[in-house]
Amino acid sequence: MHFEKSQLLKTLPKQFFASLVEKVGNISAMGHDVINLGQGNPDQPTPGHIVKRLQEAAEKPLNHKYSPFKGHQYLKDAAAEYYRREYGVNIDPNTEVAILFGGKAGLVELPQCLLNPGDTILVPDPGYPDYWSGVAMAQAVMEYMPLTEENEFLPDYPSIGEEALQRAKLMFLNYPNNPTGGTATKEFFDETIAVAKKHSICVVHDFAYGAIGFDGNKPVSFLEAEGAKEVGIEIYTLSKTYNMAGWRVGFAVGNKSVIEAIELIQDHLYVSLFPAIQEAAATALLESQACVDELVQTYESRRNVLIEGLKEIGWEVTAPKGSFFAWLKVPEGYSSQEFADYLLEHAHVAVAPGIGFGQYGEGYVRTGLLTSEDRLKEAVRRIKELNLF
Ligand SMILES: Cc1ncc(COP(=O)(O)O)c(C=O)c1O
């Protein structure tokens, strides 16, 4: 028997990058050595002290029981301490932190928490495609905020127009940015807060790459800007900072009413995370951050190898300021999809076509910095052989 999917499921956006995975699989199956720069999965292991804490915590019978629905208090305390130490921001761990099954869970839940069908949400274009999933589930309407190189990949609020801003109830932002590698300034967040206050918009800042800033510039937290908690929240994940993408742990911090809404929906969807993971996550946040410094250095030096290598072969590219992605202009005569296909077929180098991140992603491809310097050099060598530049 075949059971029909609900109307709601049928409205979910297609997973654009599934076709990239399939194409890479096909080329690899032919026996080619593909250098896959198309995905966003951290390649390094979780630091040893965090894994060890999980091992110890997994042995405690108390951790085999249900977690409190809202997660353990010690993890909320650790999140608050993290924000105090890293950003000088005061967070009430009792009312201003919600524990999440990774950032994605929070991002998908939020439109359902705050929007009614037909409500408007402002989303960045290009942007992380999972934003669209939560919007579809809430049956909300997206208004795109173009991110252009001329505006340093920040939205230009005046050009969005008063009518759309007035209509919007929610806004997603993400800096350091996936896919463009752009970063935000405190002044930009100040402007965002002013816009949000004027139009009663709830701001959700996705800080997934919060730890990854280059050239000595630590990314700014939205909550560092004055008044941020009045208008929104920040979503933090341990996936990238500590190479814990498979563990599924993150948290939301900020505006009490939004935190309350997240905890309410989660009360109905799940019991919180495996307590041993919560213990290990608290260890990650509270103990030495030397592993994070090392990771950022690794990405920065990979970035330098890739960007310098591409410049040497004549590709005019700009170095990302943060995240572990580089956003590269496609040469004249190709669409982003055509160019990605060309690199895959002829150089066996996989990159993500910008169009997969939205209309304003056209003209670019995204490459990850998630492989060794040697492999990045090899990718550059293969691209050089195509004599495109
Ligand atoms: C911009 C952005 N936000 C959120 C996430 C979600 O990360 P996680 O669900 O692992 O916390 C990702 C992961 O790739 C991302 O790139």
Side-chain angles (χ1 to χ4, degrees), residues 52 107 135 167 179 222 281 354:
K52 191 153 180 289
L107 291 161
V135 176
R167 208 170 2 102
F222 175 59

Side-chain angles (χ1 to χ4, degrees), residues 22-225:
E22 194 183 318
K23 284 178 191 171
V24 170
N26 292 343
I27 303 268
S28 306
M30 287 179 213
H32 298 299
D33 165 34
V34 176
I35 302 178
N36 192 348
L37 308 180
Q39 289 175 331
N41 210 342
D43 61 312
Q44 310 278 309
T46 305
H49 68 284
I50 303 172
V51 176
K52 191 153 180 289
R53 181 66 189 268
L54 173 70
Q55 287 168 337
E56 289 161 6
E59 297 207 2
K60 295 186 197 164
L62 199 61
N63 284 339
H64 304 164
K65 293 178 177 272
Y66 288 122
S67 163
F69 271 35
K70 294 177 173 47
H72 278 287
Q73 189 58 40
Y74 60 74
L75 181 52
K76 293 187 169 195
D77 293 344
E81 170 55 19
Y82 184 80
Y83 264 72
R84 193 201 56 73
R85 191 189 69 219
E86 296 292 325
Y87 305 111
V89 171
N90 279 327
I91 297 288
D92 177 350
N94 298 308
T95 56
E96 295 179 337
V97 180
I99 294 173
L100 305 171
F101 282 86
K104 173 173 172 160
L107 291 161
V108 173
E109 286 158 14
L110 269 158
Q112 299 173 81
C113 289
L114 301 179
L115 300 181
N116 296 310
D119 283 349
T120 298
I121 172 168
L122 294 161
V123 294
D125 178 356
Y128 175 58
D130 284 349
Y131 299 149
W132 312 334
S133 314
V135 176
M137 288 195 205
Q139 299 177 269
V141 177
M142 283 193 275
E143 187 73 43
Y144 297 101
M145 301 187 290
L147 307 186
T148 62
E149 200 158 346
E150 301 75 65
N151 205 40
E152 308 230 13
F153 301 115
L154 298 169
D156 176 40
Y157 296 123
S159 75
I160 292 168
E162 287 286 309
E163 184 278 325
L165 291 173
Q166 200 50 42
R167 208 170 2 102
K169 288 196 168 171
L170 192 60
M171 176 196 296
F172 278 167
L173 290 174
N174 161 229
Y175 294 97
N177 183 256
N178 175 11
T180 66
T183 52
T185 55
K186 182 141 166 307
E187 292 68 38
F188 167 71
F189 285 142
D190 288 339
E191 185 194 355
T192 302
I193 291 165
V195 168
K197 280 189 178 159
K198 180 169 176 206
H199 299 283
S200 307
I201 300 170
C202 172
V203 178
V204 174
H205 181 235
D206 173 5
F207 206 27
Y209 300 92
I212 312 172
F214 299 136
D215 309 312
N217 295 315
K218 185 180 164 88
V220 189
S221 159
F222 175 59
L223 296 185
E224 283 178 76

